[in-house]
Amino acid sequence: MIAAPGPGGQPDFRTYTRVVRTRPTLSWTPAGEPLPRTTSLDELVRIAGAGGVVVLSGAGLSTESGIPDYRGVTGSLRRHTPMTYQEFVAAEHARRRYWARSHLGWRTIARAHPNDGHRAVAALRSAGVVGGVITQNVDGLHQAAGTPDVVELHGSLDRVVCLSCRALSPREELDRRLREANPDFTATATRVNPDGDVDLADDDVRGFRVVPCTVCAGVLKPDVVFFGENVDPSRVDQCFRLVDEASALLVLGSSLTVMSGLRFVRRAAEAGKPVAIINQGPTRGDKYADVRVDLPLGRALTDLVTRLAA
């Protein structure tokens, strides 16, 4: 949906914000006694051995590539509040802050390489054990590892979309334009967040110049789903179809705090399909899972590939 024109013919993003507004869920507190977890892969080997597994991956899968997750022991939400969609469309200064910080963060994301976990998922997909992959991540590392047909539930940081004309363009092109518009921008960042954002001092942000869409001069946004923004319904339907056609669901490195991922776990459980979760720490979907494995993902998935091959 495109914003209705405002004064001067420009889109009124405040109207658009009211239309798509959802309340972002940033945290979740476990209730009751924690459910038992295991470090054994025996049950997971049994479930995956039947084939037809759909993977749902989260930020925890990319931590071994140097990209921190949101809610783990070193999660970025412990220090950082991510930009919400409502903030981004409501104020020019918010967009300037986001793009100044993301301009630096993108460099780290772009340099990241797939880890053993990504490569193991690609091997399982190639072997026919995994029939489809849904990822909540926006880093493109599944594809870089060789996994085809990944459904990017929350979009990808390597694309940019105009909020007025909906034109898509490569992130590399925007990176070049931002460098040209800010030749004296010398800020540095020591840590990047899963959404490509970093922390910067106000002085570093204040003079940053944001560039408009080259097609219509509209506002540019990374082609990712911000907190508080709705996922494209057609993409959600595609994910539901994958879950409905699967024999089991395997969750990798997600706390399942946000409903965009949790709903697929619920769907599988309601259909009586096995749900397996590999995550370090409890998740919001634990009560729906048949097995909860608490191991580092690279190690666990590599071992899973080895055992299934044997």
Side-chain angles (χ1 to χ4, degrees):
M1 182 180 296
I2 300 175
Q10 293 300 310
D12 185 347
F13 293 112
R14 290 170 297 180
T15 299
Y16 187 65
T17 300
R18 288 195 295 272
V19 172
V20 302
R21 185 180 182 93
T22 59
R23 184 177 181 180
T25 302
L26 301 182
S27 62
W28 158 76
T29 302
E33 291 295 320
L35 293 169
R37 310 180 66 78
T38 182
T39 57
S40 170
L41 295 181
D42 291 351
E43 182 65 10
L44 181 56
V45 169
R46 185 191 66 79
I47 292 172
V53 176
V54 164
V55 163
L56 171 64
S57 67
L61 185 61
S62 293
T63 56
E64 293 174 41
S65 293
I67 302 173
D69 61 9
Y70 281 113
R71 300 175 180 86
V73 175
T74 60
S76 65
L77 285 184
R78 295 172 182 266
R79 297 163 304 280
H80 165 79
T81 300
M83 175 69 69
T84 67
Y85 185 82
Q86 290 73 33
E87 291 176 285
F88 187 86
V89 301
E92 182 180 354
H93 69 82
R95 294 191 290 274
R96 181 185 304 113
R97 184 174 75 250
Y98 175 82
W99 280 121
R101 291 154 50 148
S102 184
H103 183 50
L104 291 180
W106 162 247
R107 300 173 192 175
T108 299
I109 298 290
R111 288 194 300 264
H113 296 287
N115 60 54
D116 288 344
H118 296 109
R119 287 187 284 271
V121 171
L124 293 170
R125 181 76 167 88
S126 178
V129 174
V130 168
V133 175
I134 304 166
T135 186
Q136 297 171 282
N137 299 339
V138 295
D139 52 36
L141 292 179
H142 273 301
Q143 295 91 324
T147 300
D149 304 322
V150 177
V151 181
E152 296 173 316
L153 185 62
H154 296 156
S156 177
L157 281 173
D158 67 359
R159 299 185 301 268
V160 179
V161 63
C162 174
L163 292 182
S164 296
C165 71
R166 311 307 296 177
L168 290 171
S169 55
R171 182 62 180 263
E172 290 85 352
E173 176 185 319
L174 177 64
D175 186 65
R176 175 186 57 78
R177 294 178 62 207
L178 288 174
R179 288 175 187 268
E180 292 174 352
N182 299 276
D184 299 323
F185 185 66
T186 58
T188 58
T190 58
R191 187 180 183 90
V192 66
N193 300 303
D195 55 0
D197 199 359
V198 301
D199 290 325
L200 278 183
D202 289 343
D203 288 344
D204 291 324
V205 171
R206 194 170 292 115
F208 192 82
R209 292 185 58 199
V210 176
V211 297
C213 172
T214 58
V215 176
C216 71
V219 171
L220 294 176
K221 171 184 171 291
D223 190 24
V224 301
V225 178
F226 280 9
F227 282 90
E229 183 179 5
N230 290 334
V231 179
D232 184 330
S234 64
R235 200 177 300 165
V236 175
D237 290 342
Q238 183 183 4
C239 294
F240 275 134
R241 285 195 297 272
L242 283 174
V243 173
D244 290 343
E245 294 167 0
S247 62
L249 178 64
L250 173 58
V251 180
L252 304 176
S254 175
S255 67
L256 299 170
T257 295
V258 294
M259 186 55 65
S260 64
L262 181 63
R263 57 185 152 191
F264 304 123
V265 173
R266 288 179 172 176
R267 179 78 157 230
E270 288 168 359
K273 299 182 180 185
V275 174
I277 299 175
I278 309 178
N279 190 69
Q280 292 190 281
T283 81
R284 193 179 175 190
D286 280 355
K287 65 181 179 180
Y288 304 104
D290 297 85
V291 58
R292 295 164 292 275
V293 178
D294 198 323
L295 284 174
L297 279 158
R299 167 189 160 191
L301 290 170
T302 301
D303 288 349
L304 179 62
V305 170
T306 300
R307 292 186 59 176
L308 289 173

